[in-house]
Amino acid sequence: MRKKQAQILVVDDQEEILFSAKMILKKHFETIFTANSPKKIISILTENDINVVLLDMNYRIGFEDGREGIHWLKEIKTLSPQTVVILMTAFGKIDTAVEGIKIGAFDYVLKPWHNEKLLETIDKAVAESRKNTKKVVVEKADKRYFAGTSAKIKQAYSMAEKVARTDANVLILGENGTGKYVFAEFIHQNSERKNQPFVHVDLGSLSDNLFESELFGYTKGAFTDAKIDTAGRFETAQNGTIFLDEIGNIPLHLQSKLLHVLQTKTVTRLGESKARPLNVRIIAATNSDIKAEVKNKTFREDLLYRINTMEINLPSLRERKDDIVPMAHFILEQIAEKYNHENWRFEDNVAPYLEKYPWKGNIREMENKIERALILADNNTISVQDLDILDFEDIQENDDNPLSEMEKSAIEKALFKHNGNISKTAEELGLSRAALYRRIEKYDLKNT
């Protein structure tokens, strides 16, 4: 039987699983890699064109909620978008695997697996990987970004276009959910490094003991689990861009190690004395008041000077209200495309609710609400109830406010429809019972 040309990576901390998978798969596919720790994923993906990763969801004893698998799934999709990920999970942990599929996994298999089912799933994943490889070339050149028309965001994108043409380090400031990752990617895609790696590091999720090994890499034998030489994130980003997200979360005692790398433009792996030269563009981001942290001596002033050659502030949605409705339509189009849905739209009365809702979680909250609404909606039209943007306390007490009139009318119709049943009315409107009672009192609908 002729083997299919495909490179498969199996990641599991149980050697018997790795051995069993390799024995089955090597009969059907050209190259099989195995890794007994997810920390090896980055170096293997960097050095090889992996088509499919078969990824276990749990690695540490006592931690069996699958969060590690979700974390590494995101890392793989960021580093190698064309690589297809299949999750491995036990029967009782299917919910987490389903969550993984929502954020980009191709499928999941249950352990212990049936050989035929495993081969069938991987076969489909290889075909999907080949499709993705063709798509990635187009998407990189034709990636769409929503800028908007508000003065603050136009100024931010104008600065980004100018700085993208240089190698200057950039510090992006903004609240959670304002799109700092997308903005950093925009700078990279408009730079001379656009065909080189874009490596995202969530510094807020790195524990102190993983900081150096993840960022700087390590040599075999540097510590107990160091079984092979492994490149860190900086080396992975060589000739490209490294995005240091949530840089304000780095403990003070580790900031000097990062500063040394930025000053010398070299990196030294743990367990090694040789400094390796780096050619990497630095983009950092934080939602914290970094200058206040410098003043309070919780963030090094010299490190701040290194990372903010150019400082760009991203406005919150509250500061760019004119962009809210167009952005919602843009996001709906993107999510509908993700789920292969066509001709989705918002109901005509949704716009004023979108504009009035406070969006404390900014763009990320809007994306989550629209994706949830698209999944739950009964047809191709999304309502205010589907979006769940009625239950907030920021509506102005103004009889002439058209939003208040629309809300009052919606509540009256729902109460009438359900013969005054509070539970059913609240469920239809996407409100809690307490929130509905407050609105009934506010609009004097007690006798409805």
Side-chain angles (χ1 to χ4, degrees):
M1 180 178 63
R2 186 177 178 182
K3 294 182 182 180
K4 293 186 177 178
Q5 289 188 341
Q7 299 196 66
I8 316 294
L9 169 61
V10 185
V11 188
D12 198 294
D13 57 350
Q14 298 180 56
E15 293 294 343
E16 61 271 25
I17 293 288
L18 297 178
F19 178 79
S20 176
K22 189 167 186 176
M23 288 300 99
I24 296 165
L25 298 178
K26 73 177 187 178
K27 298 176 184 177
H28 300 270
F29 302 99
E30 192 174 61
T31 308
I32 310 299
F33 297 89
T34 60
N36 59 7
S37 168
K39 295 174 186 176
K40 299 173 183 177
I41 290 173
I42 292 174
S43 60
I44 295 174
L45 285 181
T46 304
E47 295 167 9
N48 303 276
D49 293 324
I50 302 296
N51 299 98
V52 177
V53 176
L54 190 59
L55 178 69
D56 188 34
M57 300 197 70
N58 299 292
Y59 297 91
R60 291 181 294 167
I61 296 173
F63 294 85
E64 298 182 350
D65 59 1
R67 304 320 302 173
E68 284 182 290
I70 296 295
H71 168 78
W72 286 105
L73 165 64
K74 292 177 180 177
E75 292 291 313
I76 293 167
K77 299 310 290 181
T78 298
L79 183 61
S80 181
Q82 71 272 23
T83 299
V84 175
V85 181
I86 299 170
L87 301 172
M88 290 190 288
T89 188
F91 179 76
K93 307 294 181 182
I94 293 176
D95 286 350
T96 312
V98 172
E99 179 187 344
I101 290 173
K102 289 179 181 177
I103 61 174
F106 177 72
D107 204 344
Y108 67 88
V109 295
L110 296 176
K111 293 194 295 187
W113 58 67
H114 295 290
N115 291 349
E116 295 80 8
K117 174 63 176 174
L118 177 67
L119 290 168
E120 179 186 347
T121 304
I122 292 181
D123 211 29
K124 290 178 181 176
V126 168
E128 183 69 15
S129 169
R130 289 178 180 142
K131 288 184 199 171
N132 289 350
T133 302
K134 294 176 183 176
K135 287 180 185 175
V136 164
V137 176
V138 176
E139 287 173 2
K140 279 188 176 179
D142 204 21
K143 175 122 185 178
R144 290 177 292 166
Y145 297 91
F146 179 86
T149 58
S150 69
K152 287 187 177 181
I153 199 66
K154 284 172 71 176
Q155 181 184 17
Y157 270 97
S158 174
M159 291 174 68
E161 287 174 352
K162 290 175 183 176
V163 77
R165 296 192 288 267
T166 74
D167 262 349
N169 293 341
V170 181
L171 176 62
I172 304 171
L173 303 175
E175 294 179 9
N176 276 333
T178 48
K180 294 188 286 293
Y181 173 90
V182 171
F183 199 74
E185 190 181 39
F186 174 85
I187 293 172
H188 173 73
Q189 290 295 338
N190 284 274
S191 75
E192 294 295 323
R193 299 174 181 264
K194 64 184 177 182
N195 295 320
Q196 301 299 327
F198 175 77
V199 176
H200 172 221
V201 187
D202 182 0
L203 295 172
S205 69
L206 287 184
S207 61
D208 289 9
N209 60 335
L210 288 178
F211 182 86
E212 290 184 77
S213 60
E214 286 290 317
L215 286 183
F216 311 142
Y218 52 86
T219 59
K220 181 179 179 180
F223 48 86
T224 305
D225 292 330
K227 303 291 174 57
I228 60 171
D229 290 350
T230 301
R233 304 298 184 86
F234 273 97
E235 283 186 75
T236 303
Q238 185 74 297
N239 299 318
T241 302
I242 189 165
F243 175 44
L244 302 174
D245 203 359
E246 300 304 343
I247 198 167
N249 291 345
I250 305 178
L252 194 60
H253 68 281
L254 294 173
Q255 291 174 23
S256 60
K257 298 181 184 296
L258 178 60
L259 177 62
H260 177 75
V261 171
L262 301 188
Q263 285 177 329
T264 63
K265 296 185 179 179
T266 64
V267 65
T268 304
R269 294 182 182 181
L270 288 177
E272 190 175 71
S273 58
K274 179 182 71 175
R276 299 167 181 261
L278 280 179
N279 175 16
V280 175
R281 204 268 181 81
I282 311 293
I283 301 178
T286 182
N287 64 349
S288 64
D289 186 343
I290 199 81
K291 291 175 182 174
E293 290 187 23
V294 169
K295 188 176 180 179
N296 295 331
K297 300 194 181 304
T298 56
F299 196 88
R300 293 181 61 126
E301 188 172 20
D302 47 2
L303 178 55
L304 177 61
Y305 290 147
R306 282 284 170 185
I307 61 176
N308 77 334
T309 305
M310 178 66 74
E311 186 178 293
I312 302 177
N313 282 274
L314 288 186
S316 66
L317 281 183
R318 297 183 302 282
E319 299 173 272
R320 46 186 303 204
K321 285 187 175 293
D322 289 347
D323 290 335
I324 287 175
V325 173
M327 180 180 290
H329 285 281
F330 176 82
I331 291 172
L332 176 59
E333 181 184 343
Q334 299 282 68
I335 293 173
E337 190 175 307
K338 169 184 170 182
Y339 286 102
N340 293 318
H341 292 340
E342 295 181 356
N343 303 319
W344 278 74
R345 67 178 188 87
F346 295 110
E347 284 187 355
D348 294 339
N349 69 337
V350 163
Y353 286 93
L354 288 168
E355 291 173 342
K356 192 65 182 177
Y357 188 77
W359 299 114
K360 294 176 182 177
N362 292 295
I363 300 169
R364 186 178 302 134
E365 181 183 8
M366 181 182 283
E367 288 173 337
N368 288 343
K369 283 191 176 292
I370 292 175
E371 182 164 11
R372 176 181 177 276
L374 185 142
I375 291 169
L376 295 177
D378 293 327
N379 50 45
N380 284 25
T381 305
I382 292 176
S383 68
V384 176
Q385 289 79 17
D386 295 326
L387 287 167
D388 188 26
I389 55 175
L390 280 171
D391 194 8
F392 66 93
E393 301 303 318
D394 288 358
I395 296 177
Q396 296 177 4
E397 300 291 341
N398 182 349
D399 291 338
D400 296 327
N401 183 357
L403 182 59
S404 297
E405 286 301 317
M406 291 169 65
E407 182 178 58
K408 178 181 177 182
S409 175
I411 294 171
E412 284 180 317
K413 289 177 182 176
L415 282 168
F416 180 79
K417 176 180 176 182
H418 296 293
N419 297 314
N421 185 300
I422 295 296
S423 295
K424 291 181 179 178
T425 301
E427 182 179 356
E428 177 173 323
L429 294 172
L431 297 170
S432 65
R433 286 170 57 90
L436 178 57
Y437 275 122
R438 288 196 296 271
R439 282 160 175 74
I440 288 173
E441 185 173 348
K442 172 184 174 181
Y443 297 124
D444 195 22
L445 298 175
K446 297 172 186 176
N447 298 319
T448 299

